[in-house]
Amino acid sequence: MRNETLLEGIWQGDVVSSQSRMSKEIQHLLKLMLPLHTVCLSANSAVTCSRIIPEEIELLPALSLGDILAEELSTIVPPGSMIVVLKDHDCKAVMSKQDISFQLGLIIGDVLLGIVGDGVFPLQYETEALRVMANSYCSLAESLERKQKTICSTRFQNGLSKSVSEYWNGPAQSTRKTTLKSSNEMVLFCRYLKATSPYIWSRKANQKHVNLSKIYSKSRNCHTWKVDIVEAVLGEILSDTGQVYNH
């Protein structure tokens, strides 16, 4: 999704604020995973799958997405918020816990790609850092599933895998819907991805991960949250080498 596409969608009325059941469910689950305020939008044509964008991104020179939403949609966007853009079709559909979990995985994957894209990790550690973060969020999803039963960790992992694999393979070219109707369809889709893509990330129980709950509890805003994640992830990566990461 290009910035100009999102801006055009807002101006043309194709991107609007959303208070759908799915939007509220996504916001509730994101609150359990990210120490960040979120605002949900639905889009008719500006997105091909669920995305998440920092409000401070400039869609026009010196004019942030948050400012544009406040003026064009009368939406209150606190500084430091993350803007979740959902497909209008998905917002209107009756979504199961499994479907919502898949969408959540796509969104968290987009967050992780954004962190890597910010260049906060040394280049030689980017790939491993993405793997550690992805594995950490799958571990968190599994913990939430055990404690609260509000998420399907397997479908979350499927969505996360589809999203973060763009790091290696680029955006998916398939026009297939991201909301799949059955577990069998998901299995077939994952097999298709593995057959057509050189690299697909998948959850590995013995892979390094960090305790996201601990990072969540001490983070005060988006900046400190990112700093804390980078420090924890690089600390885990370098733990076998005896090196220390200083930021």
Side-chain angles (χ1 to χ4, degrees):
M1 176 176 56
R2 299 190 305 273
N3 291 350
E4 59 269 25
T5 303
L6 179 58
L7 183 59
E8 288 174 5
I10 294 171
W11 282 343
Q12 294 173 4
D14 292 331
V15 178
V16 297
S17 297
S18 176
Q19 292 295 322
S20 67
R21 174 182 169 271
M22 178 186 170
S23 299
K24 293 177 180 178
E25 290 280 354
I26 288 290
Q27 283 185 295
H28 170 69
L29 291 171
L30 282 173
K31 191 174 182 179
L32 300 176
M33 293 187 152
L34 301 173
L36 309 171
H37 181 80
T38 58
V39 173
C40 279
L41 309 175
S42 65
N44 282 329
S45 58
V47 295
T48 56
C49 65
S50 301
R51 304 306 296 259
I52 187 166
I53 313 163
E55 65 81 19
E56 64 264 22
I57 189 171
E58 292 188 354
L59 298 191
L60 290 172
L63 194 59
S64 70
L65 172 57
D67 292 335
I68 292 172
L69 293 177
E71 181 164 339
E72 298 291 333
L73 303 182
S74 300
T75 301
I76 298 175
V77 183
S81 298
M82 297 294 284
I83 311 302
V84 180
V85 187
L86 306 169
K87 291 178 64 176
D88 181 66
H89 174 272
D90 293 335
C91 286
K92 293 178 179 177
V94 178
M95 304 286 270
S96 67
K97 178 173 71 174
Q98 288 76 16
D99 295 327
I100 291 173
S101 297
F102 183 81
Q103 297 297 324
L104 182 68
L106 290 175
I107 292 167
I108 291 294
D110 206 34
V111 171
L112 303 188
L113 290 177
I115 293 174
V116 172
D118 287 342
V120 292
F121 291 105
L123 185 60
Q124 68 269 32
Y125 297 128
E126 275 191 357
T127 293
E128 184 63 16
L130 183 56
R131 289 173 179 158
V132 171
M133 289 192 295
N135 213 50
S136 300
Y137 268 100
C138 282
S139 178
L140 177 59
E142 289 165 0
S143 176
L144 290 173
E145 183 175 42
R146 289 192 300 270
K147 294 176 181 178
Q148 302 188 21
K149 310 296 184 183
T150 56
I151 186 173
C152 174
S153 61
T154 300
R155 293 299 297 272
F156 172 84
Q157 179 184 322
N158 293 148
L160 180 63
S161 177
K162 182 178 185 298
S163 186
V164 300
S165 293
E166 290 186 8
Y167 175 80
W168 291 276
N169 305 319
Q173 298 302 312
S174 173
T175 59
R176 186 165 186 167
K177 293 180 181 179
T178 58
T179 303
L180 302 179
K181 301 301 182 183
S182 68
S183 58
N184 287 337
E185 190 174 6
M186 174 57 70
V187 169
L188 292 173
F189 183 47
C190 288
R191 287 176 181 171
Y192 164 79
L193 285 175
K194 289 179 180 179
T196 57
S197 303
Y199 189 99
I200 293 294
W201 175 86
S202 61
R203 169 87 156 103
K204 296 179 181 178
N206 61 346
Q207 187 172 317
K208 291 183 175 182
H209 68 279
V210 298
N211 188 337
L212 291 169
S213 297
K214 186 180 296 184
I215 296 172
Y216 185 115
S217 64
K218 72 174 185 176
S219 297
R220 298 173 300 281
N221 54 51
C222 183
H223 174 72
T224 58
W225 170 71
K226 284 186 178 181
V227 169
D228 290 341
I229 281 189
V230 171
E231 182 178 8
V233 168
L234 282 173
E236 184 65 25
I237 291 173
L238 300 175
S239 60
D240 295 336
T241 67
Q243 300 180 61
V244 177
Y245 174 66
N246 296 309
H247 62 84

